Each structure stands twice: as structure tokens, then as C-alpha cells.
Amino acid sequence: KQQDITRIFWPSHCTAGEGGFLVGWNTHSFTACVATVVKGVRLDLLERAIEVLAESPRYSEIFKTPHGSPGLIGEYKVHRDASTTDEEAKAIEQQRQTANFWLTLERQQHVPRVCDIHCCGFRYSVFSLTAQFIMFEQPTHGRFYSLHPLTREPSVLELKESHLHDSLFQINDSSLLEQGLRDAVSWLAQCGALQRACVEADDAGHGAYAGPA
């Protein structure tokens, strides 16, 4: 039986360090472009952060391109996380079983490795897949990847649409998406801390916290 091929565009700076959730694009079928690994953030908070980004004037354009909308596409396991609660583990398992595409990776000998892929509840094991990792460095400071030198706009060259073409656009947006997620998660965490402070102050009879003058 011929094995399915999965191609994963992987940001090289995400290999080391802690594991976490994968945010990026399911470009086509078993092809995925990972923008970043979000570490130390609860699943529900990350989902809300992605929603915030999609509504943000600064970052919403990432979600409106014809090359696909980014989202939560899996998890990267470095070691068993003892801090994961039962509730969180159940939420992750539900996501794995219901997502259109869910990629589970682990780090082995300092490189990412596919554990399995879930598509709409069906599990494709590592034994039924041939995985190809395409490592990339995130472009920064006005740099970008292109199928043709000196232009980022394919319409100028009337290039034929391709999955590689889509992936290059996604790679070019990956740094901005990563920064946006950091901003959104930080903002949501501050909002949550402020809400808790308001509730605690109200319970103590001091009234709601009004913020700095």
C-alpha cells in the first residue's frame, strides 16, 4: 500500500525549547505550514487569542488572504507535561478528534517528528505516513520568500497558483502572526488578571478596581 505523504513547513527556531500548541495553516490535505509553537498557554486562551487577532485592525489581513486562514493545527510534545490538568487534557483530546486537521509532533534527537495526524476524527499513524519537513528561517526586516526574485506579488508575474506558492505567502506572514499571538495572549492575560482583581476587590467590599488614574 502506498503511504500518504505529509509535508510540514517548520520554523527552525521552534525546534528547541519547550513544547506547546502549533499555530499555522493547513495548506492542503496533509500539507501544513507552522508559524509558531505557542508555549505555556491554555487551549481556551489560545483559541480566544486567535479570535482577537482575526478582529484586530493590525493583524486581520493575515486572515483575509486567498492563501488560507491561520489557526490552531496541532501540538508539539517535548516531554510529558505534568502540569496539564484533566480538564485541559480532555479539551485537547476533543480538539484532536473533531478538528479537520490536527498534527501531533514530538522532538526526537533534536528534530521534530510526526506522531500522527487526525482528520475529522480519523487517525493516520506515523506508520502510514511519509513525513517531509521543510525547515525555514522566518523572514524579518522586510525580507520575504518568493518564487521569483524582487517581487512579492504573484499577480505581477501571473504565476500559476500552487501549494508551494501558498506556503511561501504563509511563511512570509509567520513572523507577524507569531508577534500578534504574543500580543493577544499578553493582553488577554492582563484582562483576566484585572477581572480577578475587580472580583476580589468587590468581594472584599472595596468596590471595583478602576485602573490607573
Side-chain angles (χ1 to χ4, degrees):
K1 180 182 176 181
Q2 185 176 1
Q3 288 188 318
D4 293 302
I5 297 176
T6 177
R7 294 182 178 88
I8 302 162
F9 292 83
W10 178 262
S12 55
H13 72 283
C14 288
T15 303
E18 296 298 312
F21 292 111
L22 306 177
V23 176
W25 296 262
N26 175 209
T27 308
H28 170 75
S29 186
F30 285 166
T31 299
C33 179
V34 177
T36 187
V37 177
V38 181
K39 306 166 184 177
V41 177
R42 297 192 322 271
L43 178 63
D44 59 340
L45 182 61
L46 177 55
E47 290 176 322
R48 178 60 185 138
I50 294 173
E51 293 173 358
V52 168
L53 279 195
E55 299 167 0
S56 165
R58 180 179 179 186
Y59 299 105
S60 61
E61 288 302 315
I62 302 175
F63 294 80
K64 297 177 181 178
T65 72
H67 308 286
S69 181
L72 183 61
I73 60 171
E75 56 187 326
Y76 181 43
K77 298 180 177 180
V78 173
H79 53 73
R80 182 174 179 82
D81 189 355
S83 65
T84 301
T85 64
D86 290 342
E87 183 179 359
E88 177 82 350
K90 289 179 181 178
I92 295 172
E93 180 60 26
Q94 182 178 16
Q95 186 81 9
R96 183 184 295 115
Q97 295 298 330
T98 58
N100 291 333
F101 178 86
W102 186 268
L103 175 64
T104 303
L105 305 178
E106 66 178 1
R107 188 169 65 214
Q108 189 175 77
Q109 297 181 343
H110 309 293
V111 294
R113 170 186 174 272
V114 173
C115 295
D116 56 36
I117 295 176
H118 282 77
C119 294
C120 302
F122 186 85
R123 178 178 180 267
Y124 296 84
S125 75
V126 65
F127 302 107
S128 63
L129 295 168
T130 298
Q132 298 177 351
F133 281 87
I134 300 94
M135 314 293 280
F136 68 88
E137 293 186 11
Q138 280 186 341
T140 56
H141 307 297
R143 298 178 180 177
F144 57 88
Y145 292 98
S146 176
L147 290 175
H148 192 278
L150 304 181
T151 180
R152 181 172 178 166
E153 292 299 328
S155 57
V156 176
L157 299 171
E158 297 183 351
L159 291 173
K160 184 179 180 180
E161 291 292 327
S162 68
H163 303 315
L164 174 60
H165 181 223
D166 289 338
S167 295
L168 291 181
F169 266 83
Q170 293 159 359
I171 289 171
N172 290 335
D173 282 337
S174 63
S175 180
L176 182 62
L177 178 58
E178 186 175 56
Q179 178 60 54
L181 283 170
R182 280 197 296 262
D183 292 345
V185 168
S186 177
W187 179 75
L188 289 170
Q190 290 175 3
C191 289
L194 180 58
Q195 283 184 327
R196 289 191 296 272
C198 290
V199 170
E200 290 171 1
D202 190 53
D203 289 344
H206 299 306
Y209 174 64

